[in-house]
Amino acid sequence: MDPAFRAAYAELLHHWTLPVESLTLESEFGSTHVNACGPPDAPPLVLLAGHGATSAVWFGLANHLGQNHRIYAIDLIIDAGLSVNSGRKITKPEDLHQWLTAVLDGLQLPRTHLCGHSYGSWLALSYALHAPDRVDKLALIDPTDCFTPLRTSYVLRALPSLLKPTRARTKSFLLWETQGVPINPAWLELAGLAAEFPKPRPVRPKRPTDEALRTLHPDLLVVIADHSKSQNPARLATRVQTLIPTATIAHLPTTHHSLPAAQTEELAAALEKHLS
């Protein structure tokens, strides 16, 4: 592993004010790295980060929610981070579901609250539809590929950093989308290094059907970034209200990629209210 990436990852973990326990779980898929904090006997909350963000990006929320929850922030095994897909290869959503089940089993969590951001939201939602008996409450932070498509302008701007990812291109893309919202420099450095991180081909998200979404069982919170360039926030809110009338919707005046590290107090308050 690139020493610079590992050093940047360790640097961001210093922003977790609660003591962090590093866990490694073995399964048929390889090794999965989990950053855990909070009281061991508190209600569990599993966090799934967006593409390239790594589990270390949850430092702000972990510091708040770790007071009353046992936090498990997972490095996705097909993305940048300390997890390694050294075993059975993951090529489709069903493989990701089986991997996450193995992780929850390894953590001895028959049920848990589940929260994701961006790509992690898609995985959290698709897993809740796949295994509703494993999820108590579900929180999606500016979810993509869940209810509405990505904006064409966003996809076109992202293409260079996706087709030929480099540190500079990824940083430029993130600064474009966040529109001047302050970004933690340690996370921006890590995200840039993550772009050049050797990793398996990502599993392409498959948006759930309307019929499937109407059957969603866990209580749902959707946090919408009102200045997101990734998708239309108003359309996202309308789709959630139409398909899942019981869902709670919270709005934050920020952008897609500034979350979950920006406005952590407001975000934590919305999540705490939902999870309690």
Side-chain angles (χ1 to χ4, degrees), residues 5-134:
F5 177 87
R6 184 175 284 276
Y9 189 103
E11 172 64 25
L12 196 57
L13 283 181
H14 291 156
H15 292 264
W16 293 49
T17 56
L18 295 177
V20 180
E21 182 180 0
S22 294
L23 307 175
T24 301
L25 305 174
E26 300 294 338
S27 72
E28 62 175 314
F29 298 98
S31 61
T32 299
H33 181 82
V34 181
N35 290 309
C37 70
D41 57 348
L45 171 60
V46 169
L47 302 176
L48 303 174
H51 176 66
T54 81
S55 65
V57 75
W58 295 104
F59 59 90
L61 277 185
N63 295 338
H64 288 285
L65 299 178
Q67 305 294 330
N68 299 311
H69 295 84
R70 177 64 171 175
I71 302 294
Y72 298 101
I74 301 174
D75 277 342
L76 301 187
I77 200 167
I78 57 169
D79 202 0
L82 304 187
S83 297
V84 182
N85 186 198
S86 57
R88 177 182 157 194
K89 299 308 175 186
I90 294 177
T91 60
K92 55 186 184 295
E94 292 76 14
D95 296 333
L96 274 177
H97 297 157
Q98 292 173 24
W99 162 73
L100 188 51
T101 292
V103 173
L104 297 182
D105 288 346
L107 293 171
Q108 299 182 349
L109 300 177
R111 292 181 66 87
T112 183
H113 299 319
L114 189 58
C115 173
H117 168 244
S118 194
Y119 186 90
S121 280
W122 166 76
L123 177 54
L125 174 62
S126 63
Y127 187 76
L129 291 169
H130 166 76
D133 57 320
R134 302 297 298 262

Side-chain angles (χ1 to χ4, degrees), residues 66-261:
Q67 305 294 330
N68 299 311
H69 295 84
R70 177 64 171 175
I71 302 294
Y72 298 101
I74 301 174
D75 277 342
L76 301 187
I77 200 167
I78 57 169
D79 202 0
L82 304 187
S83 297
V84 182
N85 186 198
S86 57
R88 177 182 157 194
K89 299 308 175 186
I90 294 177
T91 60
K92 55 186 184 295
E94 292 76 14
D95 296 333
L96 274 177
H97 297 157
Q98 292 173 24
W99 162 73
L100 188 51
T101 292
V103 173
L104 297 182
D105 288 346
L107 293 171
Q108 299 182 349
L109 300 177
R111 292 181 66 87
T112 183
H113 299 319
L114 189 58
C115 173
H117 168 244
S118 194
Y119 186 90
S121 280
W122 166 76
L123 177 54
L125 174 62
S126 63
Y127 187 76
L129 291 169
H130 166 76
D133 57 320
R134 302 297 298 262
V135 182
D136 279 325
K137 293 188 178 182
L138 180 65
L140 309 178
I141 301 173
D142 213 41
T144 52
D145 295 301
C146 294
F147 303 96
T148 59
L150 296 173
R151 282 174 162 155
T152 302
S153 58
Y154 175 85
V155 174
L156 291 176
R157 184 63 177 76
L159 274 178
S161 57
L162 291 174
L163 296 177
K164 194 173 181 181
T166 67
R167 222 158 133 190
R169 284 177 176 170
T170 297
K171 286 185 175 182
S172 174
F173 172 71
L174 292 172
L175 291 172
W176 167 79
E177 198 285 327
T178 50
Q179 307 165 57
V181 174
I183 304 177
N184 182 287
W187 178 74
L188 185 61
E189 177 65 17
L190 180 61
L193 291 166
E196 300 174 349
F197 190 92
K199 47 190 175 289
R201 186 175 180 177
V203 174
R204 187 173 180 178
K206 185 176 181 181
R207 198 158 73 241
T209 65
D210 290 0
E211 291 73 20
L213 289 168
R214 290 189 180 100
T215 69
L216 186 67
H217 176 67
D219 289 342
L220 173 65
L221 167 68
V222 177
V223 178
I224 297 176
D226 283 339
H227 303 312
S228 172
K229 288 188 176 182
S230 67
Q231 57 196 327
N232 185 310
R235 185 179 177 190
L236 173 59
T238 299
R239 287 277 292 162
V240 173
Q241 289 169 337
T242 301
L243 294 169
I244 311 172
T246 58
T248 300
I249 297 177
H251 293 265
L252 290 178
T254 191
T255 70
H256 180 74
H257 288 289
S258 64
L259 294 171

